[in-house]
Amino acid sequence: MFGLGTLTRIAREVRQDLTAAQERDPAARGIGRAEILLTYPGVHALLAHRVAHALHEAGIPLLPHALANASRTVTGIEIHPAAKVGEALFIDHGAGVVIGETAEIGDNVTLYQGVTLGGTGFARGKRHPTVNDNVVVGSGAKLLGAITVGDCSKVGANSVVIHDVPPNSTVVGNPGHPVKVSGKKPEGPDADWAHLPDPVADAIRSLSSRIRELEAELAEVTGREPQPAAEVRPLRGAGQDPAGG
């Protein structure tokens, strides 16, 4: 039932959400919790969802969806009342975030703007992602289907993830490829999106190198001069920080 215990739990979860915003958003570290509560749409959406979810769990009709719809209109963040959200979720900026009905989010998760935890097909039952504890999902990433993202993983910006992600991995690309970061667990909530591994570029570079070797061998056999090889260049110069102004 929706009683005093439920309200106490919601209040505790909101305090944890405010702490998460202060700890994970550099822009929030110099302002008070009251200002975060009043001005952060991610916090507003979570507060509305926690109330809507409690109403949904209590079996109250109409009101949970009406509250979720009002929250989406105001914040630009859509969270289905049935979605299960853990403690200390931080939705940074938040615009365009969509969290589906059977999605499950663990504790200490960070979502950036444009993230979708979406379903596939029209079958009933579990059809949205499960995101475990301490996961960071970058801007514009799409997690689709009843997949599981393991603890302490990071999903790169604009990745499309349709398969399970092992714990302690970084996922990049479309479709997403899990890549270990130096064989170690990714540290901290803030991903260095500009310097994530790119397995597709690595594969193209390897193919280009192999083609040059084959052309050199063919030139030795035929006696013809090989054509100048195309150079695979990085998009930025060595040592250049693409995140700089």
Side-chain angles (χ1 to χ4, degrees):
M1 295 294 293
F2 191 88
L4 181 60
T6 301
L7 291 175
T8 301
R9 174 175 58 81
I10 291 173
R12 185 190 72 248
E13 291 172 338
V14 171
R15 287 196 299 271
Q16 292 170 336
D17 295 336
L18 291 171
T19 299
Q22 285 183 310
E23 291 178 347
R24 298 180 216 163
D25 182 6
R29 292 171 187 167
I31 62 178
R33 295 164 70 90
E35 186 172 347
I36 295 174
L37 180 61
L38 291 172
T39 62
Y40 271 52
V43 174
H44 299 161
L46 280 175
L47 174 58
H49 171 72
R50 297 197 188 282
V51 175
H53 183 71
L55 294 171
H56 174 81
E57 291 291 293
I60 298 175
L62 181 60
L63 191 55
H65 287 276
L67 182 57
N69 183 64
S71 174
R72 178 184 62 83
T73 301
V74 172
T75 67
I77 300 168
E78 181 171 345
I79 309 177
H80 193 282
K84 297 178 180 178
V85 176
E87 298 177 352
L89 171 64
F90 176 48
I91 303 177
D92 196 3
H93 300 292
V97 168
V98 176
I99 300 174
E101 177 187 12
T102 62
E104 299 177 48
I105 300 176
D107 299 336
N108 302 310
V109 171
T110 302
L111 306 179
Y112 288 87
Q113 65 270 21
V115 167
T116 298
L117 306 184
T120 55
F122 297 96
R124 295 184 178 273
K126 178 65 172 171
R127 62 187 189 280
H128 296 91
T130 295
V131 178
N132 288 341
D133 299 345
N134 303 305
V135 170
V136 180
V137 184
S139 304
K142 313 301 177 187
L143 283 61
L144 305 176
I147 61 174
T148 298
V149 180
D151 294 346
C152 303
S153 293
K154 293 181 178 180
V155 179
N158 293 317
S159 297
V160 178
V161 184
I162 56 176
H163 300 294
D164 289 348
V165 176
N168 303 320
S169 296
T170 293
V171 174
V172 296
N174 180 6
H177 300 274
V179 180
K180 287 286 185 180
V181 180
S182 302
K184 299 179 181 179
K185 161 184 163 182
E187 296 292 341
D190 298 320
D192 183 8
W193 307 119
H195 299 93
L196 291 178
D198 189 344
V200 175
D202 291 342
I204 293 174
R205 191 176 295 108
S206 177
L207 287 172
S208 177
S209 176
R210 181 57 180 157
I211 289 172
R212 284 198 296 269
E213 293 176 3
L214 292 174
E215 287 180 341
E217 292 176 5
L218 181 62
E220 290 181 3
V221 173
T222 62
R224 293 187 301 178
E225 289 293 327
Q227 295 294 321
E231 182 180 356
V232 180
R233 297 183 179 179
L235 294 178
R236 57 181 182 271
Q240 180 180 350
D241 182 5

